[in-house]
Amino acid sequence: MQEHFLETVRGWVREAGHIAVLTGAGVSAESGVPTFRDAQTGYWAQFRAEDMATEAGFRAHPEQVWDWYQHRRQLMDGVQPNAGHQALAQFQAAHPGRLTLITQNVDGLHQRAGSTGVLCLHGDLFANRWLDTPRNCCHIDDAVAGRPPTCERCGNQLRPGVVWFGEMLPLAVFEAAERAAQACDLMLVVGTAGAVYPAAGLAHQARSASARVVVLNPNPSELDGTADAVLRGTSAALLPQLLAA
Ligand code: APR
């Protein structure tokens, strides 16, 4: 049955003038990147994930939240893109302009695999920005080392450049993702539980615009009911099979 679906979806890939791909944490699972919740082991197990990913949590406990993101940055040491990331990058290189990659991941592995124009809906784990609107005195390179680094003049603090719960997505990035979802012939929804909006809504937008939607996930996802086909398997196994020339 799965083989049959795989062949059908391979046909849809060949036919599609434009493909949009929406990825989530599952794409990085086979690289060994712990998901948000899985990273909370040992010392970090005592904290609620939600308290580490809101502005209110950062303002209440800046040192603790800063250390948590430093911990997640360190967990990326030695991690490499896997066959799923590589298949997407190779398809983009072989078919310029045909595949738009939209990701909820902040780990940078798509870019390291060579993907271009990646629309990062939830920011970048390795970037920092000011918590409050920067003043003339706030220069990121001069921020005084600390946990978090701070402007020595006004006390403004650096925070990780990721989108926290309750925050707006970067508008230009999200608008570009919406355009891709609405213009594509095929959307692949890969390695995401499909539970976090507005990202998950892109699959509904693609469907409403008459694109085919295919979910790739070893487990049930909240977008299975929206999909024309669901392929049960891991992204590192399925993407190379689907996107091979
Ligand atoms: N290949 C493909 N999918 C996988 C694999 C794999 N090897 N391993 C796990 N998955 C699937 C899981 O079955 C699950 O559906 O990846 C999904 C991961 O779900 P989440 O951890 O909820 O990640 P995601 O959907 O990306 O979360 C969205 O929520 O935590 C916030 O901002 C954070 O960007 C994140 C957003």
Side-chain angles (χ1 to χ4, degrees):
M1 192 63 162
Q2 176 88 352
E3 287 305 308
H4 166 72
F5 275 137
L6 196 62
E7 221 20 74
T8 302
V9 178
R10 275 172 61 88
W12 293 350
V13 169
R14 280 193 298 272
E15 283 168 20
H18 193 258
I19 301 170
V21 180
L22 173 65
T23 68
V27 169
S28 296
E30 286 154 285
S31 292
V33 179
T35 61
F36 193 57
R37 276 157 225 289
D38 291 345
Q40 278 183 289
T41 53
Y43 169 75
W44 296 104
Q46 59 187 305
F47 302 108
R48 290 186 339 134
E50 290 74 9
D51 292 338
M52 301 297 194
T54 60
E55 185 184 326
F58 185 84
R59 287 189 186 276
H61 305 287
E63 184 175 312
Q64 174 187 304
V65 177
W66 179 260
D67 286 353
W68 158 245
Y69 281 90
Q70 292 296 85
H71 169 67
R72 288 185 60 200
R73 288 167 175 171
Q74 281 160 12
L75 286 175
M76 292 299 298
D77 280 354
V79 166
Q80 299 299 330
N82 64 52
H85 299 106
Q86 282 155 3
L88 288 163
Q90 284 161 8
F91 187 93
Q92 283 186 309
H95 307 274
R98 251 183 90 198
L99 189 151
T100 301
L101 183 49
I102 307 162
T103 189
Q104 299 166 87
N105 298 344
V106 295
D107 57 30
L109 288 180
H110 284 305
Q111 296 89 326
R112 281 176 49 199
S115 273
T116 51
V118 185
L119 298 172
C120 296
L121 298 177
H122 293 167
D124 175 356
L125 178 62
F126 297 96
N128 291 321
R129 60 185 172 84
W130 293 108
L131 178 62
D132 293 312
T133 307
R135 302 178 190 178
N136 286 342
C137 54
C138 299
H139 302 291
I140 284 193
D141 294 341
D142 298 339
V144 174
R147 300 164 36 222
T150 303
C151 174
E152 66 177 340
R153 294 247 176 159
C154 71
N156 201 355
Q157 295 172 317
L158 287 187
R159 55 157 285 180
V162 300
V163 177
W164 282 330
F165 291 110
E167 293 185 326
M168 298 281 290
L169 271 52
L171 187 62
V173 174
F174 188 63
E175 285 178 349
E178 286 193 306
R179 282 196 297 277
Q182 289 162 13
C184 71
D185 306 296
L186 173 67
M187 175 176 275
L188 304 178
V189 180
V190 192
T192 176
V196 172
Y197 283 75
L202 293 167
H204 299 288
Q205 289 192 31
R207 189 67 204 263
S208 301
S210 304
R212 288 175 170 133
V213 174
V214 179
V215 165
L216 282 64
N217 199 311
N219 305 304
S221 87
E222 300 205 8
L223 292 171
D224 290 1
T226 308
D228 295 277
V230 176
L231 297 176
R232 286 273 172 256
T234 73
S235 49
L238 289 174
L239 284 172
Q241 295 181 68
L242 281 185
L243 299 177

